[in-house]
Amino acid sequence: MNAPNFNKESFNQIVDIIIRLGFLFLIVAWCFSILTPFVGVLTWGIILAMALYPLHSSIARRFKGKTKLASAIIVILGILAVIIPSWLFLDSVIGGLKDLGTQFQEGTLKIPPPNADVADWPLVGDKVFDLWTYAASNLENFLIEYREQFLSFGEVLLSAITSLGGSVITIILAIVISGALLSSKNAQELGRRFFHRLVGDGGDKVIELTTKTVSSVVRGVIGVALIQTILIGLGFLGIGLPYAGVWTLIVLILAVLQLPPTLV
């Protein structure tokens, strides 16, 4: 007599558990969909926090263990290091495009003829030489003939500038997140517990090795690339190089790709 009741109660409990798990899954999926756009920012924040941890510890020791003050200094300097070069670059690009437009409208835009050595460039030398010569001899007809290509290039350039603005915002948010992680003892403790549960007693060694590896990569690749770009960009501005912002962007790309900026 009790078997049917028992089976019914068990069935109701199973249904209740399934419903609760279903709601829990929906909540987790909803939270994940909200956090998905910020995964990249959070990842970069964690990477920067690991890379800047030795610098943060050094600054904190100088200020008698004030970790929040050290984090604030790193965040402010990091934001300035991102905003100032980005502003100079955008100002140079926009100013250069305005100058080009003004010169074209006034009919004073001139393109110097190519050097004869351009024709000796491998693969594309002859074609580049012919196009360059055509543009130098009759710029108006050249622009009319290749109008669609220039319009496509303008769309790409506008997209690149917009993407640069989004990247700057992403980097700034990542710097702020890294500063919050560095100043929070709870975040550091959670990191230690995670690695201890993952690899056991060797958790501290894994943390130290990971921090040193990330720090070395950031300083060795991105850090050197930024320093090279800033110095070369300031040099371009100092000598009054036309379209210095565009050349500075090319230098940054080459430096990140570990190619010599002297190619510019």
Side-chain angles (χ1 to χ4, degrees):
M1 296 294 295
N2 294 331
N5 293 332
F6 174 78
N7 293 333
K8 185 176 181 179
E9 290 178 359
S10 300
F11 177 76
N12 290 335
Q13 290 178 355
I14 292 173
V15 171
D16 185 56
I17 292 173
I18 292 174
I19 293 174
R20 291 183 181 183
L21 289 175
F23 275 109
L24 179 61
F25 175 78
L26 290 176
I27 293 173
V28 171
W30 179 62
C31 293
F32 181 77
S33 65
I34 294 175
L35 292 175
T36 297
F38 304 98
V39 170
V41 178
L42 292 172
T43 302
W44 274 109
I46 294 172
I47 292 173
L48 287 177
M50 296 175 66
L52 295 173
Y53 181 74
L55 176 62
H56 177 266
S57 300
S58 177
I59 296 175
R61 284 195 298 269
R62 293 178 180 272
F63 289 96
K64 299 179 181 180
K66 296 180 179 179
T67 56
K68 292 185 178 180
L69 178 59
S71 298
I73 292 173
I74 290 176
V75 169
I76 292 173
L77 292 178
I79 292 176
L80 290 177
V82 172
I83 290 179
I84 293 176
S86 300
W87 174 260
L88 293 175
F89 166 73
L90 289 176
D91 183 65
S92 176
V93 170
I94 294 173
L97 293 176
K98 287 182 177 179
D99 291 341
L100 282 175
T102 302
Q103 293 176 15
F104 180 74
Q105 291 177 356
E106 295 177 352
T108 59
L109 181 61
K110 302 293 182 182
I111 296 179
N115 193 297
D117 295 335
V118 174
D120 296 330
W121 291 357
L123 300 179
V124 296
D126 292 334
K127 187 173 182 179
V128 171
F129 183 83
D130 293 338
L131 289 175
W132 194 340
T133 303
Y134 181 24
S137 60
N138 196 333
L139 180 59
E140 185 175 356
N141 289 341
F142 176 80
L143 293 176
I144 293 174
E145 183 174 346
Y146 294 96
R147 178 178 57 186
E148 295 183 0
Q149 287 83 348
F150 279 103
L151 289 175
S152 300
F153 175 75
E155 293 177 357
V156 172
L157 181 61
L158 180 61
S159 176
I161 294 176
T162 305
S163 177
L164 176 63
S167 299
V168 169
I169 295 174
T170 299
I171 294 173
I172 291 175
L173 291 176
I175 292 173
V176 174
I177 292 172
S178 67
L181 292 174
L182 289 171
S183 63
S184 174
K185 293 182 179 179
N186 292 332
Q188 297 176 15
E189 184 62 27
L190 286 175
R192 290 192 183 92
R193 290 181 181 178
F194 172 78
F195 279 104
H196 273 288
R197 289 190 176 185
L198 190 65
V199 296
D201 295 336
D204 290 334
K205 292 183 179 179
V206 173
I207 293 174
E208 182 180 359
L209 179 61
T210 305
T211 302
K212 289 183 178 180
T213 302
V214 174
S215 179
S216 298
V217 171
V218 172
R219 284 184 298 178
V221 178
I222 301 178
V224 173
L226 289 176
I227 292 173
Q228 286 181 333
T229 304
I230 291 172
L231 294 177
I232 294 175
L234 292 175
F236 288 161
L237 293 174
I239 63 175
L241 180 69
Y243 320 119
V246 177
W247 293 114
T248 302
L249 177 61
I250 296 174
V251 169
L252 176 60
I253 295 173
L254 292 175
V256 171
L257 294 176
Q258 297 293 286
L259 296 173
T262 51
L263 292 174
V264 177

